[in-house]
């Protein structure tokens, strides 16, 4: 038994023993002093009777709450180590276990409610109630706030009776963890009413009820003078206005109230004693004549009542112990075994695996079902689960005593085989695959599971078994999935992309600070003058050791982790620094285009930050051309349009890059404020003469449309003189490509295209 479970059992039994001792001591003291208080026998006897009634009800309620608290602790620890909390509380397997628990206690209905108020319940007859909204239920709300409680009496249509709902919080990983849900149990109000039965109180002469601090009945029994349709004790004339105020004043400070009243000539003694539950009070009513006669019978009844309570506590103790043992076995099964196949789960596999390892290598294998989604979609989840159970049975039959397997995550099996060589693994897995193929997913079709496996050899010196499993899983993921029974062995090269990504992410911040990102410029040549009409800024990452990361290595990483935002601002800064120097040196100045990533347009204060950079370097916005890709423009056109309009209003020029590389839409030319249109290199590609004719027609019309809209056109990827002549014939404005120049350093660009005029040098 886990230590934390054993500790909770000890604490629970210690509390119960303390209650028994307290009851015994209280009864002993009360019995010894009975003769001394005979002159106050009426009030004191009634008080003792009310105390007994309260203890019975409190013990019953606290016992039920303790039962739920015990169960909730198991659930909380399970959520900390197994399924995510919200998935666990509505998991069918979990509800099935809850149904078993419900059948072993006195609750008519048990259930769980998640933090949104959505509940799932099981009833004694085996039925269930799913997706019940209890977000407005006060008992559930109090439990979500961390308070175990019992609700006011209400009518339940499903159970067909008046009930009270018990609710306790479920803490994740123990009471110091967050509340992840509520465990509830619903009981017939008759269970409380029976505890207050007159037969248990003063030989049937005391009528006991439970009322709240407003005098409304929570539980009512027979009564001497209150009408059957009364909803409150104050609905009877026997309670005067003065008496009502006295009682309410006592309720306001949570104190007991003892008083006498007369009804139809008969004198009654009434006691109202606060309970430990909600704002409830036990109310006991008895004719005064009963209290002043035959006191010994009353004491005997108290003794009997005590023993009944003691017996109930003992029985409750035994019941809780038995239930906790059963629940411990159930929770152990949920913790260490897969609910679908009955095989070990990953937690148990990792616990058992170290003892199975030796100095000789063993094969750690991740077995994957490649067509699992297809099977589930076409034939249903139950049929897929049958396949999983078939695989489990096949593994059971072929596993040796020193071998191990489990049902892992993502519907994969983990195997540990006594195989030290790849050929041994192939032979063993061939037998496994053959037995798996015997399962027919469909009775009417010869459709089989397509499996693959990744293998990683391990020994008892393997430092990190979790990592070894991950490596085997990554190997399985690299299988093609196109052929049956594919088997691959782990190769450290699998980790090269991961290592590269880690290197990039670990050094990107320092690289930005130290200036490892270098701006290259590629000219945009004016097809009329032959001079550069602008330049595109392209980033290169050159490390201090001389090695470089290529853009296609680090740009995708930056786009995923968001670092591209800072890099784009950095490139704008470098472009402004260069433009400022050109202007100060008297060089001819051409606009510089800077690419803008998708995240930039969603950056808070984007326009203001750009303007701040230009103001710092005193650069006119017309000299900075902001390039956005066609795919970005089509992704969220309303958002993009609003941002681009804001940029245009500040004087920036906007260029649409890669037009034609995807699903182009001419509407973007109409809807977006575009100054420049860059036609992708795909427009220059043609497979045959027919394609050339279509290409010529498309390009001609796109360029003509852009000119009609006063949009400058640029063709990318120009590599031959024939292509230059072709786009010049189309009256395109600018061209960019290796025919003119590759991306070159700023210094080379200045020397080649922007020399300082001789007059300025003189």
């Amino acid at each position: 038994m886990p230590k934390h479970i054993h500790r909770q059992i000890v604490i629970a039994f210690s509390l119960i023993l303390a209650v028994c001792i307290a009851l015994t001591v209280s009864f002993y003291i009360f019995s010894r002093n009975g003769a001394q208080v005979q002159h106050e026998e009426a009030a004191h006897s009634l008080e003792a009777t009310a105390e007994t009634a309260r203890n019975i009800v409190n013990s019953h309620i606290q016992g039920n709450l303790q039962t739920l608290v015990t169960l909730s602790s198991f659930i909380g620890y399970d959520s900390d180590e197994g399924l995510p909390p919200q998935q666990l509380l509505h998991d069918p397997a979990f509800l099935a276990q809850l149904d078993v628990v419900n059948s072993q206690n006195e609750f008519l209905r048990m259930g769980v409610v998640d933090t949104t108020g959505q509940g799932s319940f099981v009833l004694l007859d085996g039925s269930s109630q799913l997706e019940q909204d209890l977000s407005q239920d006060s008992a559930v709300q109090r439990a979500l706030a961390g308070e175990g409680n019992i609700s006011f009496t209400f009518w339940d249509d499903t159970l067909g009776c008046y009930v009270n709902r018990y609710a306790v919080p479920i803490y994740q990983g123990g009471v110091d963890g967050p509340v992840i849900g509520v465990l509830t149990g619903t009981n017939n109000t008759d269970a409380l009413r029976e505890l207050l039965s007159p037969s248990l109180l003063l030989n049937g002469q005391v009528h006991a009820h439970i009322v709240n601090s407003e005098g409304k009945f929570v539980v009512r029994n027979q009564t001497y003078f209150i009408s059957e349709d009364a909803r409150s004790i104050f609905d009877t004339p026997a309670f005067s206005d003065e008496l009502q105020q006295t009682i309410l004043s006592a309720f306001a400070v949570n104190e007991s109230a003892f008083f006498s009243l007369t009804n139809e000539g008969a004198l009654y003694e009434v006691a109202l004693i606060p309970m430990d539950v909600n704002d409830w009070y036990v109310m006991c009513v008895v004719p005064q004549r009963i209290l002043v006669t035959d006191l010994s019978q009353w004491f005997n009844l108290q003794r009997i009542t005590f023993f009944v309570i003691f017996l109930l506590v003992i029985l409750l103790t035994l019941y809780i112990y038995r239930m906790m043992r059963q629940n411990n076995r159930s929770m152990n099964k949920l913790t260490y075994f897969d609910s679908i196949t009955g095989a070990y789960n990953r937690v148990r596999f990792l616990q058992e695996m170290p003892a199975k390892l030796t100095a000789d290598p063993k094969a750690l294998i991740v077995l994957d079902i490649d067509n699992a989604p297809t099977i589930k979609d076409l034939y249903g989840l139950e049929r897929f689960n049958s396949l999983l159970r078939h695989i489990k049975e096949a593994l059971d039959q072929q596993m040796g005593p020193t071998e191990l397997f489990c049902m892992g995550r993502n519907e994969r099996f983990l195997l540990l085989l006594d195989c030290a060589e790849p050929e041994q693994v192939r032979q063993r897995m061939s037998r496994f695959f053959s037995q798996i193929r015997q399962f027919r997913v469909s009775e009417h079709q010869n459709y089989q599971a397509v499996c693959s496996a990744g293998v990683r050899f391990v020994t008892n010196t393997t430092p990190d078994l979790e990592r070894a499993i991950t490596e085997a899983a990554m190997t399985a993921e690299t299988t093609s999935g196109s052929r049956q029974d594919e088997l691959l062995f782990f190769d450290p090269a699998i980790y090269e992309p991961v290592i590269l990504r880690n290197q990039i992410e670990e050094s990107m911040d320092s690289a930005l600070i130290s200036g490892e990102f270098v701006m290259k410029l590629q000219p945009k040549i004016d097809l009329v003058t032959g001079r550069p009409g602008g330049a595109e800024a392209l980033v290169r990452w050159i490390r201090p050791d001389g090695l470089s990361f290529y853009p296609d290595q680090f740009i995708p990483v930056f786009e995923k982790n968001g670092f591209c935002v800072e890099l784009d601002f950095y490139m704008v800064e470098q472009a402004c620094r260069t433009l400022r120097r050109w202007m100060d040196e008297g060089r001819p100045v051409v606009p510089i285009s800077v690419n803008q990533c998708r995240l930039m347009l969603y950056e808070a204060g984007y326009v203001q930050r750009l303007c701040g950079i230009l103001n710092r370097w005193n650069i006119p916005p017309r000299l900075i051309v902001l390039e956005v890709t066609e795919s970005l423009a089509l992704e969220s056109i309303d958002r993009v349009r609003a941002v681009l309009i804001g940029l245009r209003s500040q004087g920036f020029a906007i260029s649409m890059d890669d037009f034609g590389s995807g699903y182009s839409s001419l509407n973007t030319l109409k809807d977006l404020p575009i100054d420049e249109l860059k036609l992708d290199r795909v427009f220059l590609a043609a497979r045959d003469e027919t394609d050339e004719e279509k290409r010529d027609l498309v390009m001609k019309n796109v360029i003509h449309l852009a000119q009609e809209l006063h949009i400058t056109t640029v063709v990318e990827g120009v590599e031959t003189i024939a292509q230059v002549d072709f786009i010049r014939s189309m009256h395109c404005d600018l061209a960019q490509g290796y025919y003119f120049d590759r991306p070159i350093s700023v210094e080379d660009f200045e020397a080649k295209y922007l020399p300082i005029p001789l007059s300025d040098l003189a």
Side-chain angles (χ1 to χ4, degrees):
M1 180 183 296
K3 291 183 179 180
H4 66 275
I5 301 296
H6 182 268
R7 184 168 57 253
Q8 290 180 352
I9 292 177
V10 171
I11 294 174
F13 277 90
S14 298
L15 292 174
I16 292 173
L17 180 61
V19 171
C20 292
I21 294 174
L23 288 173
T24 303
V25 172
S26 299
F27 181 76
Y28 174 75
I29 295 174
F30 182 81
S31 298
R32 286 197 60 181
N33 296 329
Q36 301 175 11
V37 296
Q38 189 169 359
H39 63 285
E40 300 174 345
E41 65 181 66
H44 285 189
S45 296
L46 184 57
E47 179 181 4
T49 302
E51 290 280 357
T52 300
R54 181 184 66 179
N55 289 339
I56 294 173
V57 177
N58 278 343
S59 296
H60 178 82
I61 293 174
Q62 295 303 325
N64 284 340
L65 287 174
Q66 183 58 45
T67 298
L68 295 179
V69 168
T70 302
L71 291 173
S72 71
S73 67
F74 286 116
I75 300 171
Y77 278 104
D78 187 77
S79 71
D80 195 44
E81 301 176 4
L83 294 171
Q86 303 308 315
Q87 181 181 352
L88 172 66
L89 296 184
H90 300 292
D91 184 66
F94 171 73
L95 294 178
Q97 292 296 328
L98 190 62
D99 185 39
V100 174
V101 173
N102 190 30
S103 66
Q104 297 169 352
N105 58 49
E106 65 181 35
F107 292 118
L108 301 179
R109 177 175 61 210
M110 294 187 71
V112 288
V113 183
D114 61 27
T115 54
T116 67
Q118 297 300 309
S120 300
F121 302 89
V122 293
L123 284 74
L124 280 177
D125 61 3
S127 62
S128 61
Q129 296 176 306
L130 305 178
E131 299 182 359
Q132 301 292 307
D133 185 3
L134 271 71
S135 58
Q136 302 302 315
D137 186 276
S138 60
V140 170
Q141 291 175 349
R142 290 168 61 187
L144 286 173
E147 176 187 359
N149 67 97
I150 179 175
S151 74
F152 198 79
T153 301
F154 64 92
W155 177 261
D156 190 294
D157 290 330
T158 301
L159 297 175
C161 59
Y162 284 100
V163 297
N164 301 96
R165 178 180 288 118
Y166 295 81
V168 299
I170 302 173
Y171 296 98
Q172 184 173 22
V175 295
D176 294 330
V179 175
I180 62 172
V182 173
L183 180 63
T184 71
T186 303
N187 233 349
N188 194 324
T189 303
D190 286 344
L192 296 177
R193 183 177 292 108
E194 289 172 4
L195 294 175
L196 299 174
S197 172
S199 62
L200 298 177
L201 304 173
L202 204 57
N203 200 24
Q205 300 299 320
V206 175
H207 291 175
H209 323 275
I210 298 177
V211 299
N212 65 10
S213 59
E214 297 177 354
K216 296 180 180 180
F217 285 105
V218 179
V219 177
R220 62 178 295 167
N221 275 305
Q222 300 175 8
T223 183
Y224 284 105
F225 50 85
I226 300 176
S227 61
E228 292 292 334
D229 59 349
R231 294 291 177 265
S232 167
I233 61 175
F234 304 129
D235 289 344
T236 176
F239 288 84
S240 63
D241 293 340
E242 182 180 355
L243 180 57
Q244 181 175 341
Q245 290 302 318
T246 301
I247 295 172
L248 292 176
S249 298
F251 285 172
V253 292
N254 198 35
E255 291 184 351
S256 301
F258 301 93
F259 52 90
S260 303
L261 58 80
T262 302
N263 186 70
E264 296 181 354
L267 186 62
Y268 296 88
E269 295 291 336
V270 181
L272 285 161
I273 298 180
M275 297 176 60
D276 297 332
V277 179
N278 301 332
D279 62 341
W280 294 359
Y281 290 75
V282 170
M283 174 182 175
C284 292
V285 182
V286 62
Q288 192 181 70
R289 57 182 175 78
I290 302 298
L291 297 175
V292 296
T293 60
D294 201 359
L295 189 60
S296 61
Q297 293 182 5
W298 188 83
F299 276 111
N300 289 334
L301 180 60
Q302 295 305 303
R303 293 187 182 94
I304 295 173
T305 302
F306 166 76
F307 286 117
V308 169
I309 295 174
F310 192 83
L311 180 61
L312 288 174
V313 172
I314 296 298
L315 292 176
L316 180 61
T317 301
L318 295 175
Y319 172 75
I320 292 176
Y321 177 76
R322 178 173 175 270
M323 185 177 60
M324 291 179 69
R325 289 295 298 267
Q326 292 176 344
N327 287 340
N328 183 53
R329 288 194 292 269
S330 299
M331 293 302 174
N332 182 69
K333 188 172 182 179
L334 287 173
T335 302
Y336 297 114
F337 293 86
D338 177 64
S339 60
I340 296 174
T341 63
Y344 282 164
N345 62 15
R346 196 173 190 274
V347 175
R348 187 62 177 269
F349 184 83
L350 287 171
Q351 290 178 349
E352 298 287 336
M353 185 164 58
K356 303 285 187 181
L357 296 177
T358 64
D360 296 325
K362 289 193 174 186
L364 176 63
I365 302 171
V366 172
L367 177 63
D368 208 349
I369 304 172
D370 297 330
N371 57 344
T374 303
I375 295 174
K376 286 186 284 189
D377 290 343
L378 295 180
Y379 303 103
L381 183 59
E382 183 54 41
R383 196 60 185 159
F384 179 74
N385 290 342
S386 298
L387 169 62
L388 296 179
R389 288 188 282 269
H390 171 79
I391 296 175
K392 188 262 183 184
E393 292 172 2
L395 294 174
D396 276 334
Q397 294 172 10
Q398 298 194 35
M399 281 288 171
T402 59
E403 297 179 328
L404 188 66
F405 77 93
C406 80
M407 184 70 191
R409 298 170 183 162
N410 301 322
E411 298 160 341
R412 290 170 164 171
F413 286 88
L414 306 182
L415 289 68
L416 184 67
L417 303 183
D418 290 334
C419 299
E421 299 293 337
E423 186 57 35
Q424 293 177 312
V425 176
R426 291 189 181 94
Q427 292 176 4
R428 289 290 302 277
M429 291 306 297
S430 177
R431 293 197 293 271
F432 283 135
F433 288 144
S434 177
Q435 197 161 355
I436 292 172
R437 284 197 301 273
Q438 294 177 11
F439 183 85
R440 294 293 182 268
V441 178
S442 172
E443 297 179 358
H444 308 291
Q445 300 176 10
N446 188 23
Y447 190 79
Q448 300 172 333
V450 177
C451 296
S452 60
V455 185
R456 204 299 196 179
F457 289 100
V458 293
T459 67
N460 56 5
T461 60
T462 300
D464 190 342
L465 296 178
E466 284 274 14
R467 181 184 176 91
I469 293 175
T470 301
E471 291 171 347
M474 291 181 64
T475 304
E477 290 172 358
T478 60
T479 60
S480 64
S482 61
R483 61 187 179 88
Q484 183 78 292
D485 306 341
E486 194 168 0
L487 186 66
L488 290 181
F489 292 84
F490 172 71
D491 183 346
I494 294 174
Y495 268 110
E496 289 180 359
V498 178
I499 294 173
L500 177 62
R501 179 187 178 93
N502 289 338
Q503 289 177 341
I504 290 173
E505 292 191 324
E506 287 174 359
S507 58
M508 61 187 187
D509 291 305
S510 60
L512 190 67
I513 295 173
S514 60
E516 295 178 21
F517 294 103
V518 177
M519 184 178 71
K520 302 285 186 177
L521 295 177
Q522 186 176 28
K524 300 178 185 178
I525 301 300
D526 189 314
L527 292 173
V528 175
T529 66
R531 298 293 300 163
E536 180 178 0
L538 299 169
V539 64
R540 298 293 183 266
W541 186 350
I542 303 175
R543 300 170 60 183
D545 56 9
L547 298 177
S548 299
F549 289 123
Y550 296 106
D552 59 354
Q553 291 177 319
F554 63 83
I555 293 298
V557 176
F558 292 169
E559 287 178 343
K560 288 183 178 180
N561 64 22
F563 189 72
C564 59
V565 173
E566 294 305 318
L567 181 60
D568 284 354
F569 280 125
Y570 172 86
M571 292 298 292
V572 172
E573 185 94 30
Q574 296 306 306
C576 289
R577 184 195 304 271
T578 300
L579 288 167
R580 181 72 267 158
R581 185 164 52 80
W582 290 351
M583 296 166 69
D584 293 343
E585 292 176 355
R587 295 180 185 273
V589 177
V590 295
I592 297 179
S593 301
V594 184
N595 291 289
Q596 303 294 282
C597 67
R598 179 179 62 85
L599 295 179
M600 289 284 279
L601 301 185
Y602 295 89
E603 182 77 5
Y606 166 56
V607 177
Q608 293 81 355
R609 188 171 174 183
L610 279 179
C611 292
I613 295 174
L614 268 67
N615 291 336
R616 188 161 56 250
W617 293 98
N618 193 23
I619 300 298
R622 61 180 174 79
L623 293 179
I624 294 294
V625 180
L626 301 175
E627 289 193 6
V628 296
T629 63
E630 176 197 24
S631 59
L632 170 60
L634 293 174
E635 177 183 301
S636 180
I637 193 166
D638 291 336
R639 169 69 182 179
V640 172
R641 184 173 186 273
V643 175
L644 296 186
I645 289 176
L647 292 169
R648 281 283 298 275
S649 67
Q650 297 296 325
F652 290 97
I654 309 299
S655 174
M656 179 184 290
D657 195 11
D658 297 336
F659 185 83
S661 62
Y663 293 98
S664 301
S665 173
L666 295 177
N667 281 329
T668 57
L669 304 181
K670 170 180 67 69
D671 296 333
L672 298 180
I674 301 298
D675 299 287
E676 179 182 87
L677 184 67
K678 298 185 71 175
L679 280 70
D680 192 82
R681 67 184 66 239
V682 297
F683 280 104
L684 298 178
R687 297 186 180 91
D688 51 37
E689 293 183 0
T690 303
D691 283 347
E692 288 183 358
E693 293 177 1
K694 293 179 179 179
R695 177 200 64 184
D696 295 351
L697 183 61
V698 170
M699 285 194 66
K700 178 180 179 181
N701 283 280
V702 170
I703 293 173
H704 177 72
L705 176 60
Q707 291 173 343
E708 288 290 320
L709 294 172
H710 306 290
I711 297 175
T712 301
T713 55
V714 183
V715 176
E716 299 178 291
V718 178
E719 298 181 355
T720 66
I721 185 59
Q723 292 175 340
V724 173
D725 293 338
F726 166 68
I727 60 177
R728 183 179 285 121
S729 69
M730 293 291 174
H731 304 291
C732 182
D733 299 308
L734 302 172
Q736 180 180 356
Y738 285 0
Y739 175 78
F740 302 104
D741 229 329
R742 294 173 177 271
I744 57 179
S745 67
V746 174
E747 293 76 11
D748 290 343
F749 185 89
E750 295 169 352
K752 187 173 183 179
Y753 297 106
L754 304 177
I756 300 175
L758 294 177
S759 59
D760 291 343
L761 292 175

